[in-house]
Amino acid sequence: GHRLTLFVDACYLVRARAEGQHHASVRRDYDRVATQLSELAKRGHDIQLHVHPHWVDTEFDGQQWLLDTSRYRLTDFDQDELDEIVADGTAVLSEIREDAVFAYRAGGWCIQPPQPILHALKKSGIWLDSTVYRGGYSEVENRGYDFSDAPDLPYWRFSSDPVVPDATGEFLEIPISACKYQVSAFWQLVLKKLHSTEADRSFGDGGVMRASLVYYLRRLLSPTWSPVSIDSVKARLLRRVFKQAATKNPPQIFNVMGHPKSVTPNGIGEVGKFLHSEKRGLEPATMQSFADLVPSHR
């Protein structure tokens, strides 16, 4: 019965709608996704902006998408292109949800350097970001990020950098909840991949972009800050991390994320257990719930 915020890869939708004019299969895919999102919005779920801009350089050859990830971050594009990508994505999602989109989550957490992206978001009426997570850091070439200086706060306003609070800022940051995962969590993930049952396999057929060997070794050999997630074995930690967050003062926003390509039957089962066990301590919210935190956007 809980409502979700769905950060939808709008760049895919824009590209699919364009390619759908030439390929009936792509048009069917677009129509199915748009219809599902529209139905979810009418049921009270919150549809907001997510951007993986490599779709701009991706083509459909009649059989499959030819992915080109050489420009993976928004800042790999010049300002005019960046503005257009955000504007087109905002427009397609606003049309589907029949209401203005106002919140954003960066693809791959790549929101740095922030100034060009914030310029585009502001032009398109986006004033809420939910990309940052405490302790977040990735050294992966061409898609890294560094949130090590992010404050340990439930939310904050900012002006020019989402990790630097500014009480008069026109943007609002609702950070993703994070915890320091011990190496055992990542070893469990590896073992599950090697010895997975049907219930441990993802529902979808999507995959992740590979990172460097250093990236994986660091996570297998030392504790790492990571977003609280419903993905795979991480869902098992929901109750423990929630109890830690519940002891903090001021009260925390428990902002949990997930990727459809990584959600498993066992993971969904863990989410169900969490919601049942903590139902008295939860006040469900979506990004829409925080509109009044920035007076100019009431």
Side-chain angles (χ1 to χ4, degrees):
H2 292 298
R3 294 172 179 174
L4 306 175
T5 296
L6 300 161
F7 285 101
V8 180
D9 187 358
C11 224
Y12 160 74
L13 290 173
V14 172
R15 198 76 190 95
R17 187 161 62 176
E19 289 285 353
Q21 297 177 19
H22 312 290
H23 303 283
S25 63
V26 178
R27 181 67 202 189
R28 284 194 297 271
D29 286 346
Y30 172 84
D31 288 342
R32 290 171 68 190
V33 174
T35 298
Q36 185 187 47
L37 292 173
S38 176
E39 291 172 351
L40 287 166
K42 289 172 182 174
R43 287 162 54 188
H45 297 287
D46 196 6
I47 311 296
Q48 299 292 351
L49 180 66
H50 187 54
V51 175
H52 278 288
H54 64 269
W55 284 103
V56 172
D57 300 323
T58 295
E59 296 182 354
F60 190 78
D61 69 355
Q63 300 295 324
Q64 61 182 348
W65 289 101
L66 304 176
L67 293 175
D68 181 349
T69 58
S70 56
R71 293 197 291 178
Y72 179 79
R73 303 172 302 176
L74 273 174
T75 49
D76 292 330
F77 297 80
D78 66 36
Q79 189 68 61
D80 288 342
E81 291 174 312
L82 199 163
D83 290 351
E84 184 178 1
I85 290 168
V86 171
D88 288 347
T90 301
V92 72
L93 289 180
S94 296
E95 177 185 323
I96 288 171
R97 80 177 226 146
E98 299 181 12
D99 196 6
V101 167
F102 61 86
Y104 171 73
R105 174 166 292 160
W109 297 280
C110 295
I111 198 169
Q112 296 161 326
Q115 286 77 13
I117 298 172
L118 296 179
H119 178 274
L121 295 179
K122 183 177 179 180
K123 282 187 68 174
S124 289
I126 306 291
W127 52 267
L128 188 155
D129 178 66
S130 186
T131 300
V132 172
Y133 66 93
R134 183 186 176 205
Y137 176 79
S138 173
E139 69 285 355
V140 178
E141 186 179 3
N142 297 326
R143 48 192 174 100
Y145 53 87
D146 187 353
F147 305 144
S148 346
D149 294 330
D152 185 15
L153 296 170
Y155 61 85
W156 59 86
R157 292 170 68 170
F158 69 92
S159 295
S160 58
D161 190 331
V163 301
V164 180
D166 177 356
T168 62
E170 55 192 325
F171 291 99
L172 181 70
E173 181 67 35
I174 305 287
I176 306 167
S177 296
C179 72
K180 184 174 282 190
Y181 287 93
Q182 300 302 316
V183 296
S184 57
F186 289 97
W187 278 107
Q188 284 183 49
L189 187 59
V190 171
L191 292 173
K192 280 295 182 185
K193 287 184 178 296
L194 293 175
H195 305 286
S196 61
T197 65
E198 193 64 32
D200 294 314
R201 297 191 183 106
S202 302
F203 286 102
D205 60 359
V208 299
M209 291 175 63
R210 299 301 175 192
S212 66
L213 180 60
V214 172
Y215 174 90
Y216 295 113
L217 287 175
R218 180 168 292 175
R219 282 149 182 78
L220 290 171
L221 298 176
S222 61
T224 309
W225 283 94
S226 186
V228 180
S229 171
I230 66 172
D231 292 348
S232 188
V233 297
K234 288 185 177 181
R236 296 178 181 178
L237 302 174
L238 282 173
R239 281 179 282 180
R240 178 170 67 82
V241 180
F242 176 74
K243 290 185 184 301
Q244 293 173 356
T247 63
K248 289 193 173 184
N249 190 17
Q252 298 294 293
I253 296 170
F254 196 54
N255 185 8
V256 179
M257 67 169 296
H259 297 87
K261 63 177 176 281
S262 301
V263 172
T264 66
N266 275 341
I268 289 295
E270 293 293 336
V271 173
K273 292 176 187 177
F274 164 72
L275 293 175
H276 179 74
S277 66
E278 303 296 343
K279 58 185 175 183
R280 293 182 180 177
L282 293 174
E283 183 181 343
T286 66
M287 293 301 141
Q288 189 73 51
S289 308
F290 303 106
D292 288 346
L293 293 179
V294 178
S296 60
H297 298 297
R298 284 178 180 171

